[in-house]
Amino acid sequence: MTLAVDFLPPGRAVRQQISGDDWLKRAVMLVVGIYLVVALALPLFVMLSKSFSTYTFDLHQFEFQVSDQSGQGWSDPVTAAALNAAVAAFPESDLKASADGRLQAAKLFPDFSFRSPVRYRIRGTSDETHFLAGSQLVRGTEWQEYDSNNFRRVMLRPSRSIGLSNFAEYFSTPSLVRSIKNSVTMALISTAVTLVVAFGLAYALNRSRMPGKGLFKLIVTIPILVPSLLPGIALVYLFGNQGVFRDLLLGHSIYGPLGIVVGSVFFTLPHAFLIISTALWVADARHYEAATSLRASKWRTFWTVTVPGARYGLISAAFVVFTLVIITDFGLPKVIGGQYGMLAVDIYKQVIGQQNFEMGAVVSVILLVPAFLAFAVDRLTQRRQVALLSARAVPYEPKPRRGFDAASFAFCTLVAVFVLGMIGMCQVAALVKFWPYDLSLSLRNYAFDLMDGGGWDSYYNSIRLALMTAVIGSLIVFTGAYMVEKTKGFGLGRATFHMLAMLPMAVPGMVLGLAYIFFFNSAANPLHGIYGTMTILVLCTVTHFYTVAHLTALTALKQLDPEFEAVAGSLKIPFYKLFFRVTLPVCLPAVLEIAIYLFVNAMTTVSAVVFLYATDTKLASVAILNMDDAGDIAPAAAMGMMIFYTNVAAKLLHAFVSRLLLARTQGWRRVSQSAAATVPH
């Protein structure tokens, strides 16, 4: 006899108890999340507020009194606006200011002399009015009295208002608006050309039986190892006014759109190729067999099978290239762009050239719009992607075709010549004494201490930055990814963390660097002390390249069976022991990939750090920019090649260390494979 129970007795709902391990994981995830908030969200918020901040001198907010020659009797109060109307000391254009704007109060008095016995009083008409007396900031409506000698040090400060005036000024300036059109045009043209070249290269390497595939793949990835300024320098030596092949341009100039497009294709080609190659590698041979049985032509098979199968890779590659050209790159248009304005260069000119930080913030906000749009569309596209290989899929194996294989080899050779030619030209420029008049070889261009730009110290600083970024960044990124992936429950917190981790991909480097100026350079910020140090450079670089490293770590962690955590929990083994004994050794290949990714990018980056370095923290990539500005193009090429040598050495060391460490930590893979091979099928 059985007793059926159709209801549960009333009472509180049963809730799963959160273990101590989960509380600790949430705490660690919160710490890394706070890092992302401080290093990314807060600086971006401050920069956004700066773009809406307008500073003007409201002369009605200041009142003055002047004593007689004995320094006793005082005149009636008069506003600075009334004084300026009488003497025209400051024209209307001078009343528009930046946050650090200053007007010397003494200029309102034509007969002022710092040796005079006359005394002066000044006050604000509101509690928010402020001025500087020497280095002291004074606020309020109380009269402040100064003798003539000290009054000459009184500086009026502007008032802040919130509005769209900065954006109105930007869009009313034809040269600045033209930069938007130029940037979009260059991005579209560069994207189209890069996609065609990258697809042809990926198709040749994946669908042919041509020889030397490994060598060609290695050559195509070379541009990743050099700063974006280097292709601009190579183009100057190849097609500039004194270039080797300048006559091939038939009178056209390499300085401007042509140089920007060619250079953009060079440094975005590896990114597009890797994405498209991965998409083409995943192919089901049954689709091609079906097309053959239906007697479809090769051209129709290409458009109905090959292209649709790689469409998501093509879309992702297009958005990556578009984003890199329109918002990320700064060095290339700076070197080869001539007078052709680009958005990224506008930020540099507004901040470095004109010290107009508010307008720089406006350009940064404008840059964020296409970045976020491209990022959002790419995310939506990836969500719609479906699996192309089923469990019954047959891997596609290309068949020998003499004509196609020869054409593929010829095309890959042309691309390799293009890449190696650019790098080789930079190497020649670095070794020639005085181009093009003295072509004898010399190492004089490597005497960086004799050049403007930063000397050898900048190179050593870059190595320090790269090492610290690789070590600290790998630790932060992998720890954060582990916590967000392996924490049970806490859906809202994990979703928020993942959103913060994905945000850096949509933020251009120059925008992040400018945001750091506004946030960390504020005296009210308790972290103000790190401004101008190596710490802020590491912080900015790790944050700038956080997203790709985070996705790499997540991909590796998702491959681990959740059974590990379940078994460890049943045996009451703390999660950190499981992390160090199982998770970290198994995921060591991904950790090493993250480390070398951060190292290489820290060596080559210039856009994110160009606003943040100090005299003793100048970097090699920034030194290239400074040398180019000073006309030392050959030493700039030499410094770029030093970065290339370093990254090549780092890659080789990474491969050697990986082989040693993986031989010790990945033995379980060989055991599993051999065990699987002995199981009868």
Side-chain angles (χ1 to χ4, degrees):
M1 180 177 179
T2 59
L3 180 64
V5 179
D6 297 329
F7 64 90
L8 293 175
R12 288 186 296 179
V14 179
R15 298 181 61 184
Q16 184 177 0
Q17 186 176 5
I18 301 176
S19 67
D21 275 0
D22 281 330
W23 278 118
L24 186 55
K25 289 178 183 177
R26 295 183 184 188
V28 176
M29 184 167 58
L30 179 63
V31 171
V32 182
I34 291 174
Y35 158 80
L36 288 173
V37 170
V38 173
L40 181 64
L42 290 180
L44 289 178
F45 175 79
V46 173
M47 187 205 67
L48 185 64
S49 67
K50 286 289 184 180
S51 68
F52 293 99
S53 299
T54 304
Y55 294 88
T56 56
F57 289 100
D58 185 357
L59 299 183
H60 294 89
Q61 293 190 354
F62 300 93
E63 286 188 340
F64 295 92
Q65 283 184 311
V66 185
S67 74
D68 55 25
Q69 288 294 325
S70 65
Q72 298 298 321
W74 295 94
S75 65
D76 293 332
V78 59
T79 64
L83 290 172
N84 192 54
V87 302
F90 305 115
E92 191 68 25
S93 59
D94 287 354
L95 300 183
K96 295 181 179 180
S98 62
D100 198 39
R102 305 178 187 193
L103 291 179
Q104 187 178 14
K107 289 186 177 181
L108 294 168
F109 303 91
D111 56 349
F112 172 79
S113 172
F114 71 91
R115 294 189 177 92
S116 170
V118 174
R119 301 182 68 83
Y120 297 85
R121 287 178 177 175
I122 178 175
R123 71 174 181 180
T125 58
S126 69
D127 292 335
E128 297 302 319
T129 306
H130 57 286
F131 60 90
L132 286 173
S135 59
Q136 181 183 5
L137 183 66
V138 183
R139 293 180 181 272
T141 59
E142 295 292 328
W143 285 108
Q144 304 293 329
E145 186 175 330
Y146 303 97
D147 59 29
S148 296
N149 186 46
N150 287 315
F151 185 70
R152 64 175 174 169
R153 298 182 176 89
V154 172
M155 300 289 175
L156 308 184
R157 295 302 306 276
S159 302
R160 179 181 180 230
S161 59
I162 304 297
L164 298 174
S165 300
N166 291 330
F167 289 90
E169 181 181 351
Y170 179 89
F171 287 105
S172 63
T173 306
S175 60
L176 296 178
V177 175
R178 197 178 303 118
S179 296
I180 300 177
K181 178 183 176 182
N182 293 345
S183 295
V184 173
T185 302
M186 291 297 96
L188 290 175
I189 296 175
S190 300
T191 300
V193 176
T194 303
L195 284 183
V196 171
V197 177
F199 185 86
L201 190 64
Y203 189 80
L205 292 176
N206 284 277
R207 300 300 169 85
S208 75
R209 298 293 293 271
M210 55 169 280
K213 290 184 178 181
L215 178 62
F216 285 120
K217 290 180 180 178
L218 183 63
I219 292 174
V220 172
T221 59
I222 286 178
I224 297 177
L225 307 179
V226 301
S228 62
L229 298 92
L230 210 58
I233 295 174
L235 290 174
V236 170
Y237 277 91
L238 287 170
F239 302 103
N241 296 331
Q242 302 291 338
V244 180
F245 304 115
R246 65 184 182 276
D247 295 334
L248 296 180
L249 297 182
L250 303 177
H252 296 282
S253 176
I254 195 66
Y255 301 98
L258 180 60
I260 293 174
V261 170
V262 176
S264 297
V265 171
F266 175 83
F267 82 85
T268 59
L269 181 61
H271 305 276
F273 165 75
L274 292 174
I275 296 172
I276 297 174
S277 181
T278 301
L280 288 175
W281 178 77
V282 180
D284 190 344
R286 296 178 302 167
H287 297 161
Y288 292 91
E289 293 172 358
T292 302
S293 64
L294 293 173
R295 298 182 180 180
S297 65
K298 295 186 182 300
W299 185 248
R300 186 169 184 178
T301 302
F302 175 80
W303 286 108
T304 58
V305 179
T306 303
V307 173
R311 64 184 181 275
Y312 292 109
L314 287 168
I315 293 173
S316 293
F319 281 114
V320 167
V321 174
F322 183 87
T323 303
L324 286 173
V325 176
I326 195 172
I327 64 172
T328 301
D329 183 50
F330 155 71
L332 178 65
K334 178 69 175 62
V335 173
I336 201 69
Q339 300 301 314
Y340 194 79
M342 297 279 284
L343 282 171
V345 181
D346 279 351
I347 298 180
Y348 183 80
K349 290 180 178 178
Q350 292 292 333
V351 175
I352 301 297
Q354 303 179 28
Q355 296 292 301
N356 191 345
F357 291 92
E358 285 71 32
M359 193 56 68
V362 169
V363 183
S364 298
V365 172
I366 294 173
L367 270 177
L368 283 174
V369 174
F372 275 109
L373 287 177
F375 176 74
V377 174
D378 184 48
R379 292 289 103 187
L380 291 174
T381 303
Q382 290 187 15
R383 287 182 182 179
R384 296 181 60 185
Q385 186 172 1
V386 296
L388 298 178
L389 288 180
S390 65
R392 298 180 180 179
V394 178
Y396 179 81
E397 289 290 339
K399 298 178 180 178
R401 290 179 289 172
R402 181 174 299 178
F404 178 70
D405 292 345
S408 298
F409 184 82
F411 180 77
C412 292
T413 301
L414 286 176
V415 176
V417 169
F418 168 66
V419 174
L420 294 178
M422 298 278 275
I423 296 296
M425 192 68 250
C426 286
Q427 182 61 80
V428 171
L431 292 175
V432 167
K433 276 189 177 181
F434 187 53
W435 182 274
Y437 306 106
D438 186 355
L439 300 182
S440 59
L441 300 182
S442 171
L443 295 177
R444 61 184 296 181
N445 292 322
Y446 288 89
F448 301 127
D449 291 333
L450 304 179
M451 314 291 177
D452 293 331
W456 278 102
D457 286 342
S458 63
Y459 171 70
Y460 300 135
N461 284 337
S462 283
I463 294 180
R464 284 177 54 207
L465 171 66
L467 289 173
M468 294 171 68
T469 299
V471 175
I472 297 174
S474 299
L475 176 64
I476 294 175
V477 170
F478 192 78
T479 301
Y482 178 84
M483 299 308 162
V484 77
E485 177 65 22
K486 298 300 182 180
T487 299
K488 297 178 181 177
F490 198 43
L492 179 61
R494 294 166 64 193
T496 303
F497 182 95
H498 188 67
M499 180 190 69
L500 288 172
M502 298 300 293
L503 185 59
M505 182 176 285
V507 179
M510 296 198 73
V511 175
L512 185 63
L514 186 59
Y516 271 43
I517 293 180
F518 293 136
F519 184 68
F520 289 101
N521 198 29
S522 172
N525 190 333
L527 298 175
H528 172 71
I530 71 172
Y531 190 79
T533 66
M534 184 62 72
T535 302
I536 196 172
L537 296 178
V538 174
L539 187 71
C540 182
T541 307
V542 171
T543 305
H544 185 202
F545 300 106
Y546 192 97
T547 301
V548 174
H550 174 74
L551 292 175
T552 302
L554 280 183
T555 302
L557 289 166
K558 287 180 182 297
Q559 295 176 352
L560 294 180
D561 196 323
E563 290 283 338
F564 286 113
E565 281 72 24
V567 172
S570 65
L571 296 176
K572 296 183 179 181
I573 298 175
F575 84 92
Y576 53 85
K577 288 188 177 180
L578 176 69
F579 176 82
F580 287 108
R581 293 180 181 178
V582 177
T583 306
L584 187 58
V586 171
C587 296
L588 191 58
V591 175
L592 293 175
E593 286 298 324
I594 292 172
I596 193 62
Y597 168 80
L598 293 175
F599 182 94
V600 168
N601 282 281
M603 286 295 299
T604 59
T605 185
V606 61
S607 59
V609 298
V610 71
F611 297 141
L612 302 177
Y613 69 90
T615 304
D616 56 345
T617 58
K618 194 171 292 184
L619 303 174
S621 57
V622 176
I624 298 174
L625 181 66
N626 293 337
M627 290 177 187
D628 180 75
D629 286 341
D632 296 327
I633 303 180
M639 182 66 83
M641 293 307 297
M642 288 302 303
I643 294 177
F644 174 65
Y645 305 149
T646 305
N647 283 336
V648 170
K651 280 281 191 179
L652 293 175
L653 180 62
H654 166 259
F656 177 72
V657 173
S658 297
R659 177 168 295 186
L660 289 182
L661 292 179
L662 299 185
R664 300 181 61 183
T665 62
Q666 305 298 303
W668 62 276
R669 295 182 184 271
R670 295 188 298 273
V671 174
S672 300
Q673 292 171 356
S674 60
T678 59
V679 176
H681 297 283

